[in-house]
Every structure is written in C-alpha cells, then in structure tokens.
Amino acid sequence: MTQYIARRLIALIPVMLGVSLVVFMLIRLIPGDPVIVMLGERARPEDIERVREEMGFNRPIYVQYAEWMGRIIRGDLGTSIINRTEVMDELKYRLSATIEMIVAGMIIGVIIGVSIGIISALRRNSWIDLTATFGALIGVSMPIYWLALILIYALAVNRQILPPSARIDANLNVTRHTGFMLIDTLLMGDLRLFGNAVWHLILPSFVLSTVIMPILARLTRASMLEVMRQDYVRTAEAKGLRSRTVVIRHALKNALLPIVTVVGLQLGGLLGGALLTETIFSWPGMGLWTYRAILSRDYPIVQGAVLVSATIYVVVNLLVDISYAYLDPRIRFSGG
Amino acid sequence: MMESSVKSDAAAERSRSLYRDAWRRLLSSWNGRVGLALIFITLVTGLGAPIVNPYDPTTDSNLVESRYPPSLQHPFGTDRLGRDLFRRVVHGTRISLLIGFVVVFVAGAIGTVLGLMAGYFGKATDTVIMRLMDILLAFPGILLAIAIVAVRGAGILNTIIAVAVVGIPGYARVVRSMVLSLRERDYVDAARMIGVSNTRIMFMHILPNSLSPIIVQMTLGVGGAILFAAALGFLGLGVQPPAPEWGAMISDGIPFLRQSPHLVFFPGMAIMLTVLGFNLLGDGLRDALDPQLRD
C-alpha cells in the first residue's frame, strides 16, 4: 500500500509542475503588454512600472517562473491588483464558502441520486424506473444556471419560500471563526442564525447537487443490477433473509464502491458547477470571486484561484484512488 | 490481385452489415428514436432558419414592443429590445450547432491522433502525451475554458478553441485504451511483419476497429460542447451580443426575471432539448454499437 501511494505521489509531480506552468503562462500568453491589459490604457506610468516590477515582468521568463514558484510554495499567491489585498487571505474565506456549498450539494446529490438508483434497480422497467431514467437524462442535459433561475423564480421571486441570494440575511451578524457559516453560527450558540444559514444554503446546494444526482442515479442503478445478479445475493435470498436486509447489507454495500469513486471524480464538475451557481446566488465563494477577477482582469486572483482549484481537484482524485486501492486490493497490484 | 479484391469486398460487406445492424438496433430503441427526432428538428430549424426567415440581429430592435409576453404574434414573447424571442431562439440554433459540431470535430481529431500515438508507440511517447492530458484534466473544465477565453478574449472562435481544448483529453483516453487492446492482435502483427508503415497501421487497421466508442463519445460530445459554450455565453465570455446566442439570451433576461420569466425560460428550453437529443442518441448508439453492454 505504501508503495502504491508513493508511486502515485511521484506521478503527481510532473502533473502539478505542468499545472503550475499553465497557470504561470496564462498571463504571459495575453497578446500585448499584460500590465497595460490589466491596468487599462489610461493607467499612470508609475502604476504600470510598479505592477511590472511587482510581477517581475522585466526579468527573464525562467527567472520569473522560479521566483513565482518559490512564492507559491511559501503560500504567497501575490496581491490583488485592484483591492491590494493578499490573495491568500481572501482565498481562505472564499474557499470555505465554496466548500460549504459543495459538501451540502454532495450530500443532497448522494442521498437523492443513490435512493433513486436503488428504487430504479429494484423496480426495473416499471414506470418509476423509466421516469427516473428519463429524468436523469434531462438532468444532465439541463444548464445548471437555467435550473437555478427557474427555481429562484418559482421559490424566491414568485413565492418567497426560500431566499434568492447570499449566505445569511444582511441584517444578521456572524463572527467569523472557521469561515463555514453553519459551523460559525453553531459556535455562536444561536440556533436562529444557524437556521437562517441553512435556509440560505438549501437552494444553491440543491441546484449544485443536480450536477451529480443524475450520474449517481444511473450508476447506482447499473451497479445494483450488476450486484443483484451475483451468487452471494442469491445465497442471501436463499437463506431466507428479509429482502431489505439483502438489499442493504449485501447488495448496496458492494454496489457502493464505484459510487464512492464517481463522487470523488465528479469534484471537477462540482467546482465548475459551483462557479455558475455562485454567480447566480451571489454566493461569496471562489467561483464568484474568480469570475469577477476575470472580468476585471485581476490576474493574480485568477492565477491563485485556478491553481488552488486544480490542486484540490488533483489531490481529491488521488485520495479517491488511494481509498479505492485500499478497498480493492486488485488495483494496487496491477501497477495502475 | 483479384482474390485480394474479393477479400476486401467481403470485409467491407461485413463492416457495412455491422453498422447496418447497429443502425437497425438504434432505430428500434426508444432513446435512439427520440434522440434522432430531436436532432432532426434542431438541424432542420438551424439549416432552414435563414432560408425561411432571414435575420439580422443588429437591425431587429423595436423598443415599443419591449418585453411582450408570449402571444400568437410572438410565440415566445419579445425581449428587452422588443426583438421577437422565437426568431432569436430559432436563429440561435445555428450558433449552438456550429460550435457543437466544430468543437467535436477539432477535439475529436486531435484527441484521436494523440490517443492513437500514445497507445501505439507506448513508452516515452505514451508518457509524454498522457501526462499532458493529465495536466489538462487537472483543471475543472469550465475553469480552464474561462481561463482560455480570459486570455484570448470572447467571441465564437475563442469559444470553440476553449471548449475544444477541454474536450481533447477525453478522446485521447478513450482511443488510447482501445489501441492498447487492439495493438497486440494478430492482424496488427501481420501488417507490421509485411512492412506496412506505422501511420498506415494506426489509421487503416487500428482506427477503424476502435470507431464505436469514438462515435459514442463524439455524439455525447456535441451536447457537452453546446452546454459548455452556452455557459460561457451566459457568463458574457462566449459569443457576443447582438448575436442570438442562447446562454447570453438567458443572462440578458435575468434582470427581468420577476416580470418577464419567458426571457429566461425559452432559450434554456432550447439548450436543454438540443443537448437532450444528442445525449439520447449517444446512449442509444452505445447500446446499438455494443449490444453486450446493455444491462
């Protein structure tokens, strides 16, 4: 196992170097003078000179890359061109907002998606199964931002059942400890604040959950059908176990393995979905932040956010692979 | 000479009947039929729109009729500038289909060649190509596309480039895994032994036998590319107004969501039905081309 992890970690090095190179080159590939592109044509010469010096544009490119990498490794992502704030400081806050939404979305997606998949498999070819299959196809074909707007119209604008934006009501004050609204409100011991935060989280995280829900429903269905055919399930049935016990203890437990992997692998989709969801719900996370930085050409933020998102994605994929190898020994010995 | 031509005729007949069987299976499945019907409608709409109803988005506005609700005269209502939404949605089909097909063609071609090379040559070639693909895959797709557009600027060409770059690794991976399983086959060894060039082996012997998963991937890819491009348009980073791009039309309607939800509703439906068509067809093709996969 240690050997497998070591092999995977070594394979990660060239990928992360490549990722850093892509992110580094991002600004340098802009046609024209990147500093003028960032600051605009009418920028004062002293500002142009300052940013050029700050970003090291007047040194050879390999020196720039080495210096930039050195800073990144020390956890310094530079300063925002517009706000002059440290990218890293803001990132921590933004990241927690995004993680909160993604985790909530994952939980909702897994619960609903897996349940639908199980029911479809058990009632194969029934109207429930057909509806679920078609619903899943509609789910993957639907633009997530469009679904968000339709739900906002139905539940927040037309009837004020759920709030259309933000993490908590504007008149409420939450002391920031962890950056996670649910945890911070609980730490304050105020259930009303906690309830308000949950209230704001429902709609965005439900919308985000639709990124993985249809995929999980289809996969669970296929996986359950596969497992239900196995001898051990037949044995369990033959022993006279209750069908609920067979489904949950014998079938589902084995069907879950591929599902765990896919949840991890879908993180990229969730990060992308979060970007679109955040822009619609004015959710102050990484996505909205990156998007605004792109519009205002605040490239240090863009670089930092892209680099961190890619790193999270790569690390989570690695963790998924490792946990999978741990659960299924065939993988560690296949050299993959 | 004659004998070999007879043989190749027989081979051609076999492959023809393979695809003919697949086509028959596709037409007998509900997802294949519905998918083909949806795509047919979209194609006819997209190709027919300029003939039946020529459109110039720049001279179309009529502020007097701003944001009319759907009616007989304007089935989808009118937008902020009084433009007939039905007409814009119909003409938007052309943009989305163009992007979808070009992206799949470009990404599919590049990805296929990379996958063929990686799988066939193996060793260093494989490592270099697949590591490059891993690097591209390390970025969440939409983020990579946005970053590319942020650097190169908005517009239809850059949208195509951005979405295609995101799609390449998918094709490379599928093709590579097919090549790995085909490379050791006897007919490939035989071809190599009689001195057939590597390029010829890759493109004439291996590629035709790995077409099924590529066709499925490309069909699903058209839908994916349309969704992606619309997301870029929605964010204001894709095809620029006044071109009738579906994603941009949705974002155009957001400020009026309360009073005129039709501005958001119809372009979104158009995206969904088009993408649904390609997803259904892709699913149907997967079952039709490989009946063993069906559960």
Tab-separated table of all heavy atoms in Angstrom, chain A residues 209-245:
chain	number	residue	atom	x	y	z
A	209	SER	N	-26.357	20.134	-6.483
A	209	SER	CA	-26.455	18.673	-6.358
A	209	SER	C	-26.906	18.035	-7.661
A	209	SER	O	-26.641	16.860	-7.911
A	209	SER	CB	-27.413	18.293	-5.238
A	209	SER	OG	-28.747	18.453	-5.660
A	210	THR	N	-27.593	18.815	-8.521
A	210	THR	CA	-28.083	18.225	-9.772
A	210	THR	C	-26.933	17.922	-10.743
A	210	THR	O	-27.143	17.269	-11.752
A	210	THR	CB	-29.095	19.146	-10.484
A	210	THR	OG1	-28.455	20.382	-10.785
A	210	THR	CG2	-30.301	19.398	-9.624
A	211	VAL	N	-25.726	18.425	-10.423
A	211	VAL	CA	-24.568	18.068	-11.251
A	211	VAL	C	-24.266	16.579	-11.102
A	211	VAL	O	-23.947	15.895	-12.073
A	211	VAL	CB	-23.326	18.905	-10.847
A	211	VAL	CG1	-22.076	18.400	-11.545
A	211	VAL	CG2	-23.545	20.365	-11.167
A	212	ILE	N	-24.369	16.064	-9.869
A	212	ILE	CA	-24.002	14.663	-9.659
A	212	ILE	C	-25.213	13.735	-9.544
A	212	ILE	O	-25.093	12.538	-9.749
A	212	ILE	CB	-23.106	14.479	-8.413
A	212	ILE	CG1	-23.766	15.049	-7.165
A	212	ILE	CG2	-21.753	15.083	-8.637
A	212	ILE	CD1	-23.042	14.641	-5.897
A	213	MET	N	-26.369	14.300	-9.227
A	213	MET	CA	-27.545	13.457	-8.967
A	213	MET	C	-27.868	12.491	-10.112
A	213	MET	O	-27.990	11.278	-9.882
A	213	MET	CB	-28.738	14.358	-8.652
A	213	MET	CG	-29.785	13.717	-7.794
A	213	MET	SD	-31.188	14.817	-7.655
A	213	MET	CE	-30.613	16.018	-6.467
A	214	PRO	N	-28.010	12.992	-11.355
A	214	PRO	CA	-28.359	12.055	-12.428
A	214	PRO	C	-27.275	11.009	-12.665
A	214	PRO	O	-27.586	9.841	-12.917
A	214	PRO	CB	-28.511	12.948	-13.666
A	214	PRO	CG	-28.077	14.294	-13.296
A	214	PRO	CD	-27.924	14.372	-11.825
A	215	ILE	N	-26.020	11.420	-12.553
A	215	ILE	CA	-24.920	10.475	-12.778
A	215	ILE	C	-24.973	9.382	-11.721
A	215	ILE	O	-24.841	8.194	-12.018
A	215	ILE	CB	-23.569	11.222	-12.717
A	215	ILE	CG1	-23.555	12.327	-13.775
A	215	ILE	CG2	-22.407	10.270	-12.895
A	215	ILE	CD1	-22.424	13.294	-13.649
A	216	LEU	N	-25.189	9.790	-10.464
A	216	LEU	CA	-25.231	8.810	-9.374
A	216	LEU	C	-26.437	7.889	-9.502
A	216	LEU	O	-26.339	6.692	-9.223
A	216	LEU	CB	-25.258	9.527	-8.026
A	216	LEU	CG	-23.937	10.171	-7.631
A	216	LEU	CD1	-24.078	10.915	-6.314
A	216	LEU	CD2	-22.854	9.118	-7.513
A	217	ALA	N	-27.572	8.446	-9.911
A	217	ALA	CA	-28.769	7.621	-10.039
A	217	ALA	C	-28.533	6.528	-11.083
A	217	ALA	O	-28.824	5.356	-10.852
A	217	ALA	CB	-29.973	8.481	-10.431
A	218	ARG	N	-27.952	6.912	-12.226
A	218	ARG	CA	-27.717	5.929	-13.290
A	218	ARG	C	-26.692	4.892	-12.862
A	218	ARG	O	-26.842	3.711	-13.103
A	218	ARG	CB	-27.224	6.641	-14.553
A	218	ARG	CG	-28.298	7.457	-15.211
A	218	ARG	CD	-27.783	8.106	-16.461
A	218	ARG	NE	-27.635	7.138	-17.536
A	218	ARG	CZ	-27.444	7.491	-18.797
A	218	ARG	NH1	-27.383	8.751	-19.131
A	218	ARG	NH2	-27.319	6.586	-19.735
A	219	LEU	N	-25.630	5.390	-12.223
A	219	LEU	CA	-24.565	4.482	-11.821
A	219	LEU	C	-25.041	3.511	-10.745
A	219	LEU	O	-24.759	2.311	-10.802
A	219	LEU	CB	-23.380	5.301	-11.302
A	219	LEU	CG	-22.175	4.470	-10.976
A	219	LEU	CD1	-21.469	4.082	-12.263
A	219	LEU	CD2	-21.225	5.219	-10.075
A	220	THR	N	-25.796	4.032	-9.760
A	220	THR	CA	-26.303	3.165	-8.696
A	220	THR	C	-27.204	2.101	-9.282
A	220	THR	O	-27.127	0.928	-8.914
A	220	THR	CB	-27.096	3.986	-7.656
A	220	THR	OG1	-26.299	5.074	-7.240
A	220	THR	CG2	-27.458	3.139	-6.456
A	221	ARG	N	-28.046	2.510	-10.228
A	221	ARG	CA	-28.954	1.553	-10.854
A	221	ARG	C	-28.153	0.432	-11.524
A	221	ARG	O	-28.384	-0.753	-11.256
A	221	ARG	CB	-29.827	2.266	-11.883
A	221	ARG	CG	-30.768	1.351	-12.624
A	221	ARG	CD	-31.553	2.120	-13.678
A	221	ARG	NE	-32.514	1.264	-14.352
A	221	ARG	CZ	-32.225	0.533	-15.421
A	221	ARG	NH1	-31.010	0.537	-15.907
A	221	ARG	NH2	-33.149	-0.222	-15.972
A	222	ALA	N	-27.180	0.844	-12.357
A	222	ALA	CA	-26.388	-0.155	-13.082
A	222	ALA	C	-25.627	-1.047	-12.110
A	222	ALA	O	-25.585	-2.269	-12.247
A	222	ALA	CB	-25.428	0.540	-14.032
A	223	SER	N	-25.035	-0.416	-11.104
A	223	SER	CA	-24.222	-1.135	-10.143
A	223	SER	C	-25.064	-2.106	-9.319
A	223	SER	O	-24.664	-3.248	-9.076
A	223	SER	CB	-23.526	-0.103	-9.252
A	223	SER	OG	-22.666	-0.704	-8.373
A	224	MET	N	-26.265	-1.672	-8.925
A	224	MET	CA	-27.159	-2.540	-8.149
A	224	MET	C	-27.611	-3.732	-8.995
A	224	MET	O	-27.642	-4.862	-8.518
A	224	MET	CB	-28.402	-1.765	-7.687
A	224	MET	CG	-28.214	-0.912	-6.456
A	224	MET	SD	-27.867	-1.868	-4.973
A	224	MET	CE	-29.495	-2.426	-4.519
A	225	LEU	N	-27.954	-3.460	-10.259
A	225	LEU	CA	-28.403	-4.548	-11.135
A	225	LEU	C	-27.306	-5.589	-11.281
A	225	LEU	O	-27.554	-6.790	-11.268
A	225	LEU	CB	-28.786	-3.992	-12.510
A	225	LEU	CG	-30.110	-3.238	-12.566
A	225	LEU	CD1	-30.336	-2.662	-13.956
A	225	LEU	CD2	-31.270	-4.155	-12.192
A	226	GLU	N	-26.068	-5.096	-11.400
A	226	GLU	CA	-24.916	-5.977	-11.537
A	226	GLU	C	-24.762	-6.848	-10.278
A	226	GLU	O	-24.629	-8.066	-10.338
A	226	GLU	CB	-23.675	-5.100	-11.754
A	226	GLU	CG	-22.356	-5.821	-11.798
A	226	GLU	CD	-22.164	-6.554	-13.106
A	226	GLU	OE1	-22.624	-6.022	-14.132
A	226	GLU	OE2	-21.589	-7.654	-13.076
A	227	VAL	N	-24.820	-6.177	-9.116
A	227	VAL	CA	-24.603	-6.872	-7.856
A	227	VAL	C	-25.737	-7.856	-7.550
A	227	VAL	O	-25.501	-8.954	-7.069
A	227	VAL	CB	-24.439	-5.847	-6.708
A	227	VAL	CG1	-24.426	-6.535	-5.363
A	227	VAL	CG2	-23.170	-5.051	-6.908
A	228	MET	N	-26.970	-7.453	-7.883
A	228	MET	CA	-28.117	-8.311	-7.559
A	228	MET	C	-28.050	-9.655	-8.300
A	228	MET	O	-28.725	-10.595	-7.927
A	228	MET	CB	-29.437	-7.619	-7.931
A	228	MET	CG	-29.738	-6.354	-7.147
A	228	MET	SD	-30.090	-6.633	-5.416
A	228	MET	CE	-31.803	-7.088	-5.470
A	229	ARG	N	-27.244	-9.680	-9.389
A	229	ARG	CA	-27.094	-10.922	-10.140
A	229	ARG	C	-26.088	-11.873	-9.510
A	229	ARG	O	-25.987	-13.014	-9.915
A	229	ARG	CB	-26.616	-10.590	-11.566
A	229	ARG	CG	-27.729	-10.266	-12.535
A	229	ARG	CD	-27.255	-10.446	-13.966
A	229	ARG	NE	-26.343	-9.381	-14.352
A	229	ARG	CZ	-26.713	-8.312	-15.037
A	229	ARG	NH1	-27.950	-8.164	-15.401
A	229	ARG	NH2	-25.841	-7.383	-15.353
A	230	GLN	N	-25.293	-11.349	-8.553
A	230	GLN	CA	-24.184	-12.154	-8.016
A	230	GLN	C	-24.688	-13.318	-7.148
A	230	GLN	O	-25.767	-13.258	-6.562
A	230	GLN	CB	-23.255	-11.270	-7.171
A	230	GLN	CG	-22.655	-10.103	-7.923
A	230	GLN	CD	-21.731	-10.554	-9.039
A	230	GLN	OE1	-20.993	-11.513	-8.881
A	230	GLN	NE2	-21.785	-9.872	-10.169
A	231	ASP	N	-23.828	-14.317	-7.058
A	231	ASP	CA	-24.190	-15.512	-6.298
A	231	ASP	C	-24.467	-15.215	-4.823
A	231	ASP	O	-25.376	-15.770	-4.223
A	231	ASP	CB	-23.070	-16.558	-6.391
A	231	ASP	CG	-22.998	-17.145	-7.786
A	231	ASP	OD1	-24.007	-17.006	-8.517
A	231	ASP	OD2	-21.954	-17.725	-8.135
A	232	TYR	N	-23.643	-14.329	-4.234
A	232	TYR	CA	-23.822	-14.113	-2.791
A	232	TYR	C	-25.160	-13.473	-2.464
A	232	TYR	O	-25.710	-13.671	-1.386
A	232	TYR	CB	-22.649	-13.325	-2.185
A	232	TYR	CG	-22.367	-11.988	-2.810
A	232	TYR	CD1	-23.116	-10.865	-2.477
A	232	TYR	CD2	-21.322	-11.827	-3.710
A	232	TYR	CE1	-22.835	-9.638	-3.038
A	232	TYR	CE2	-21.037	-10.610	-4.276
A	232	TYR	CZ	-21.804	-9.512	-3.940
A	232	TYR	OH	-21.525	-8.302	-4.488
A	233	VAL	N	-25.707	-12.702	-3.434
A	233	VAL	CA	-27.024	-12.128	-3.187
A	233	VAL	C	-28.077	-13.239	-3.266
A	233	VAL	O	-28.987	-13.320	-2.438
A	233	VAL	CB	-27.334	-11.008	-4.200
A	233	VAL	CG1	-28.787	-10.567	-4.080
A	233	VAL	CG2	-26.412	-9.828	-3.962
A	234	ARG	N	-27.876	-14.122	-4.250
A	234	ARG	CA	-28.816	-15.229	-4.370
A	234	ARG	C	-28.751	-16.103	-3.113
A	234	ARG	O	-29.772	-16.535	-2.587
A	234	ARG	CB	-28.499	-16.056	-5.630
A	234	ARG	CG	-29.694	-16.871	-6.072
A	234	ARG	CD	-29.420	-17.640	-7.348
A	234	ARG	NE	-28.764	-16.799	-8.357
A	234	ARG	CZ	-27.848	-17.256	-9.214
A	234	ARG	NH1	-27.486	-18.513	-9.166
A	234	ARG	NH2	-27.306	-16.460	-10.092
A	235	THR	N	-27.510	-16.329	-2.630
A	235	THR	CA	-27.353	-17.123	-1.408
A	235	THR	C	-28.089	-16.463	-0.247
A	235	THR	O	-28.808	-17.122	0.505
A	235	THR	CB	-25.855	-17.241	-1.050
A	235	THR	OG1	-25.151	-17.628	-2.207
A	235	THR	CG2	-25.638	-18.234	0.069
A	236	ALA	N	-27.910	-15.158	-0.123
A	236	ALA	CA	-28.559	-14.438	0.981
A	236	ALA	C	-30.075	-14.586	0.881
A	236	ALA	O	-30.762	-14.794	1.878
A	236	ALA	CB	-28.160	-12.965	0.943
A	237	GLU	N	-30.575	-14.493	-0.369
A	237	GLU	CA	-32.020	-14.644	-0.555
A	237	GLU	C	-32.448	-16.077	-0.211
A	237	GLU	O	-33.462	-16.302	0.436
A	237	GLU	CB	-32.409	-14.329	-2.000
A	237	GLU	CG	-32.616	-12.839	-2.227
A	237	GLU	CD	-32.719	-12.478	-3.707
A	237	GLU	OE1	-32.486	-13.356	-4.556
A	237	GLU	OE2	-33.028	-11.302	-3.980
A	238	ALA	N	-31.616	-17.044	-0.647
A	238	ALA	CA	-31.953	-18.448	-0.421
A	238	ALA	C	-31.955	-18.782	1.063
A	238	ALA	O	-32.706	-19.636	1.522
A	238	ALA	CB	-30.960	-19.344	-1.158
A	239	LYS	N	-31.075	-18.068	1.831
A	239	LYS	CA	-31.034	-18.311	3.277
A	239	LYS	C	-32.323	-17.857	3.950
A	239	LYS	O	-32.545	-18.097	5.122
A	239	LYS	CB	-29.871	-17.511	3.895
A	239	LYS	CG	-28.542	-18.218	3.805
A	239	LYS	CD	-27.521	-17.629	4.770
A	239	LYS	CE	-27.299	-16.149	4.584
A	239	LYS	NZ	-26.176	-15.637	5.379
A	240	GLY	N	-33.131	-17.112	3.183
A	240	GLY	CA	-34.396	-16.661	3.740
A	240	GLY	C	-34.302	-15.323	4.458
A	240	GLY	O	-35.173	-14.964	5.247
A	241	LEU	N	-33.231	-14.560	4.156
A	241	LEU	CA	-33.114	-13.238	4.777
A	241	LEU	C	-34.207	-12.322	4.222
A	241	LEU	O	-34.654	-12.493	3.087
A	241	LEU	CB	-31.745	-12.638	4.479
A	241	LEU	CG	-30.544	-13.314	5.129
A	241	LEU	CD1	-29.268	-12.614	4.710
A	241	LEU	CD2	-30.684	-13.274	6.644
A	242	ARG	N	-34.568	-11.313	5.051
A	242	ARG	CA	-35.581	-10.380	4.584
A	242	ARG	C	-35.015	-9.600	3.396
A	242	ARG	O	-33.822	-9.308	3.347
A	242	ARG	CB	-35.938	-9.407	5.699
A	242	ARG	CG	-36.837	-10.034	6.744
A	242	ARG	CD	-37.369	-8.969	7.646
A	242	ARG	NE	-36.262	-8.123	8.132
A	242	ARG	CZ	-36.428	-6.971	8.758
A	242	ARG	NH1	-37.644	-6.507	8.936
A	242	ARG	NH2	-35.410	-6.279	9.192
A	243	SER	N	-35.896	-9.245	2.445
A	243	SER	CA	-35.374	-8.613	1.227
A	243	SER	C	-34.694	-7.281	1.555
A	243	SER	O	-33.747	-6.885	0.887
A	243	SER	CB	-36.495	-8.418	0.211
A	243	SER	OG	-37.474	-7.583	0.750
A	244	ARG	N	-35.143	-6.597	2.632
A	244	ARG	CA	-34.489	-5.341	2.996
A	244	ARG	C	-33.053	-5.586	3.428
A	244	ARG	O	-32.152	-4.845	3.088
A	244	ARG	CB	-35.270	-4.654	4.118
A	244	ARG	CG	-35.604	-3.220	3.766
A	244	ARG	CD	-36.422	-2.565	4.826
A	244	ARG	NE	-35.620	-2.141	5.957
A	244	ARG	CZ	-36.140	-1.622	7.053
A	244	ARG	NH1	-37.429	-1.496	7.184
A	244	ARG	NH2	-35.363	-1.228	8.043
A	245	THR	N	-32.870	-6.641	4.194
A	245	THR	CA	-31.514	-6.969	4.643
A	245	THR	C	-30.643	-7.319	3.443
A	245	THR	O	-29.484	-6.894	3.368
A	245	THR	CB	-31.570	-8.182	5.597
A	245	THR	OG1	-32.680	-8.011	6.477
A	245	THR	CG2	-30.289	-8.308	6.387
